[in-house]
Amino acid sequence: MENNLKAAFYTLGCKVNQYETEYMSELLKNAGFEIVSVNEDADYYIINSCTVTATADQKTRQNIRKFKRLHPKSTVILTGCMPQAFPEKSAAISEADIVLSNKSDGDILSLINQYNTEKTRLIHIDEHRTGDNFKECAITNFSERIRAFVKIEDGCDRFCSYCIIPKSRGRVRSKSPELLRKEINDLANNGIKEIVLVGINLSAYGKGENFDIVDAVQICAENEKIRRVRLGSLEPDHITNDIIDRLSQTEKFCPQFHLSLQSGCNKTLKNMNRHYTAEEYKNLCSKLRNTFEDASITTDVMVGFHDESEEDFIESLEFVKSIQFEKVHTFPYSNREGTAASKRGDNVSKKDKEHRASIMIEETEKIRNNYLKKLVGKKVEVLFENMVDENIYQGYTKSYLPIRFFSKENIIGKEIEVTVKNYSDAFCIAE
């Protein structure tokens, strides 16, 4: 491999994709590549795609064509979930010189070498198969940050009717505790102080094995250099009383729970093939708030799914309001080719979806605003991560609330108790 080759990554989608970009980036750096911004000239542009929605696919295609147009002599590489879910459509994007599936991310270096030798377009898409093992992957740093995403699980067995993920990610499989422990030690030795465990269906970690998600949290917490451990998005029906009890005994665990709801209407939940009722979800939220002091519960809510009526929407809205989430991500349903729901048709107009989304956002923003207002005057522990302006540092509380703080001293990596003085939509201001 020649020296001084430059590679740039453009990543769409979830925290798992961000982790996998870091993994591929380290593979290339170890081979002598320089990793640069996508705004710079590079020899290779790698687009790590998301395929959750048709809009995500569109963004992928647009960026592939943009990089090829702006840098016609560069090699453009497409990887991620889109080639895995839609191999023919991905292969048809002629501007992509190399197309590989997320299952083959670890082969990126050898594929680049093969492409350079053969001087011909490469399509390398390896299908996920039932019984696949977790493909070993580990990182030692995370883009010069002090908080790292660590993928411990891949795949999903749930088959929600609207979701393409089982096709793009395969079945549930888990990273071994031994590999995780080594990875955490490497990250801690390189200055990482907070670990965010992530997966496609994170709460299924350890399915069919003799370990579970709490074991993963405890492996991270046992490293004395790690200050905090938090979890990515969770499926509510996997969070048992035993898991709650064991997590509550782990001092470094951050009680911030992103529990995917999707709808507060039982009829819609059933149509989505979700595996819980609104009542069961509400009971779980109560258990978490009763168990963890200052527990923060956030969620995702979909509006306009399939044949959601106005009455169904109101039921979902009232349920969401009753939970008093600290933050809600609202999005309209997008019909996804290849899913069970796509065969039923999309019976809610775009206008109605947008109207319902605006109502849900307005109501949940009121709740978030009240939550932030009550924090003014309170003392909170903040782990500071970066400087966003001259002498202005930003960090997060254990509940993942962004805090900005003025300091003439460099406080990156320090955990400091501060008092919240004001807030905006994006962050709180403390002193």
Side-chain angles (χ1 to χ4, degrees):
M1 181 65 66
E2 302 173 42
N3 291 327
N4 302 319
L5 289 174
K6 295 181 179 180
F9 284 86
Y10 185 88
T11 307
L12 295 111
C14 65
K15 292 179 175 67
V16 171
N17 266 20
Q18 293 176 53
Y19 173 91
E20 288 169 348
T21 287
E22 192 67 33
Y23 171 59
M24 289 185 285
S25 175
E26 283 199 18
L27 291 176
L28 296 186
K29 277 191 281 191
N30 291 339
F33 284 74
E34 180 185 352
I35 307 302
V36 299
S37 162
V38 291
N39 298 318
E40 298 178 47
D41 288 331
D43 301 287
Y44 299 88
Y45 290 90
I46 300 114
I47 294 88
N48 192 358
S49 63
C50 170
T51 196
V52 167
T53 64
T55 302
D57 286 353
Q58 183 180 12
K59 286 182 181 178
T60 294
R61 287 191 293 268
Q62 286 172 345
N63 279 284
I64 290 170
R65 288 162 184 158
K66 180 184 81 172
F67 292 131
K68 200 62 178 178
R69 184 179 70 252
L70 295 176
H71 310 278
K73 294 183 180 179
S74 297
T75 301
V76 175
I77 301 171
L78 169 61
T79 184
C81 289
M82 184 179 173
Q84 199 79 59
F86 301 105
E88 296 83 5
K89 289 184 177 181
S90 299
I93 305 173
S94 59
E95 293 87 351
D97 301 298
I98 302 173
V99 179
L100 67 148
S101 55
N102 56 33
K103 187 177 180 181
S104 304
D105 283 345
D107 301 326
I108 188 168
L109 185 60
S110 63
L111 289 170
I112 287 174
N113 288 332
Q114 183 183 343
Y115 175 79
N116 290 335
T117 300
E118 298 177 0
K119 307 296 182 186
T120 186
R121 192 164 181 255
L122 279 181
I123 310 296
H124 183 83
I125 300 173
D126 187 8
E127 290 184 11
H128 290 299
R129 294 172 181 84
T130 301
D132 279 348
N133 293 321
F134 186 91
K135 203 152 191 179
E136 287 198 5
C137 57
I139 59 174
T140 61
N141 220 319
F142 205 86
S143 301
E144 299 178 358
R145 300 182 199 172
I146 64 161
R147 173 166 45 96
F149 302 145
V150 175
K151 184 179 88 168
I152 61 171
E153 185 276 340
D154 208 342
C156 187
D157 300 340
R158 299 180 70 80
F159 295 95
C160 298
S161 63
Y162 53 81
C163 187
I164 197 69
I165 292 302
K167 189 175 178 183
S168 65
R169 284 286 177 173
R171 304 289 85 79
V172 169
R173 50 211 188 274
S174 304
K175 179 175 284 182
S176 72
E178 294 75 24
L179 180 58
L180 175 60
R181 183 173 284 107
K182 182 184 182 306
E183 184 172 23
I184 297 304
N185 289 342
D186 288 341
L187 287 165
N189 289 335
N190 283 324
I192 294 297
K193 297 184 183 301
E194 180 175 311
I195 300 294
V196 185
L197 295 174
V198 300
I200 297 302
N201 182 2
L202 179 62
S203 37
Y205 176 74
K207 181 179 179 181
E209 308 279 359
N210 62 351
F211 51 84
D212 63 15
I213 189 68
V214 185
D215 294 313
V217 170
Q218 291 172 346
I219 285 170
C220 300
E222 72 187 21
N223 188 300
E224 61 183 19
K225 294 178 182 178
I226 298 299
R227 301 272 191 83
R228 293 177 174 182
V229 187
R230 66 175 82 240
L231 298 173
S233 182
L234 300 165
E235 288 296 324
D237 54 304
H238 283 172
I239 310 303
T240 63
N241 289 338
D242 175 64
I243 284 176
I244 293 171
D245 182 54
R246 289 162 62 209
L247 286 175
S248 71
Q249 296 170 35
T250 307
E251 187 179 348
K252 293 180 181 178
F253 175 68
C254 296
Q256 176 236 337
F257 300 92
H258 188 84
L259 300 175
S260 182
L261 173 63
Q262 306 303 348
S263 176
C265 168
N266 282 328
K267 176 192 135 189
T268 304
L269 287 172
K270 188 174 181 181
N271 284 339
M272 289 177 168
N273 195 34
R274 300 294 285 168
H275 299 259
Y276 52 85
T277 64
E279 292 73 25
E280 288 167 341
Y281 187 101
K282 192 168 193 172
N283 287 339
L284 173 60
C285 292
S286 296
K287 284 179 194 172
L288 293 173
R289 285 176 170 152
N290 288 335
T291 303
F292 296 91
E293 186 179 359
D294 298 325
S296 170
I297 302 177
T298 59
T299 198
D300 305 302
V301 175
M302 185 190 298
V303 299
F305 175 68
H306 178 41
D307 61 352
E308 179 189 68
S309 67
E310 189 66 23
E311 291 75 19
D312 297 335
F313 168 69
I314 295 299
E315 183 180 335
S316 183
L317 175 65
E318 292 304 316
F319 179 82
V320 170
K321 287 162 65 176
S322 75
I323 299 293
Q324 295 283 297
F325 291 103
E326 277 72 20
K327 192 173 186 180
V328 177
H329 171 229
T330 301
F331 59 100
Y333 168 62
S334 171
N335 190 30
R336 198 72 189 100
E337 177 191 347
T339 64
S342 67
K343 299 170 186 174
R344 305 180 202 161
D346 188 358
N347 302 320
V348 183
S349 71
K350 183 180 179 182
K351 182 180 177 181
D352 283 343
K353 288 177 187 175
E354 290 174 351
H355 179 63
R356 292 173 192 176
S358 67
I359 293 172
M360 184 71 76
I361 290 168
E362 182 181 357
E363 291 300 318
T364 54
E365 282 299 316
K366 287 179 189 175
I367 295 167
R368 178 163 177 80
N369 190 68
N370 288 335
Y371 161 66
L372 295 173
K373 188 184 292 184
K374 290 176 183 175
L375 287 174
V376 174
K378 283 195 172 185
K379 291 182 178 181
V380 290
E381 289 279 346
V382 180
L383 179 58
F384 285 95
E385 296 190 359
N386 61 318
M387 188 165 69
V388 293
D389 206 342
E390 188 176 359
N391 296 328
I392 303 295
Y393 293 84
Q394 179 163 296
Y396 291 85
T397 65
K398 283 195 169 185
S399 60
Y400 204 56
L401 186 71
I403 301 283
R404 292 194 179 180
F405 181 77
F406 175 86
S407 174
K408 290 184 178 179
E409 175 194 349
N410 185 341
I411 55 172
I412 293 174
K414 294 186 177 180
E415 197 167 19
I416 301 171
E417 185 180 72
V418 299
T419 302
V420 178
K421 288 297 180 183
N422 207 340
Y423 64 93
S424 69
D425 290 340
F427 54 85
C428 289
I429 299 165
E431 64 180 34

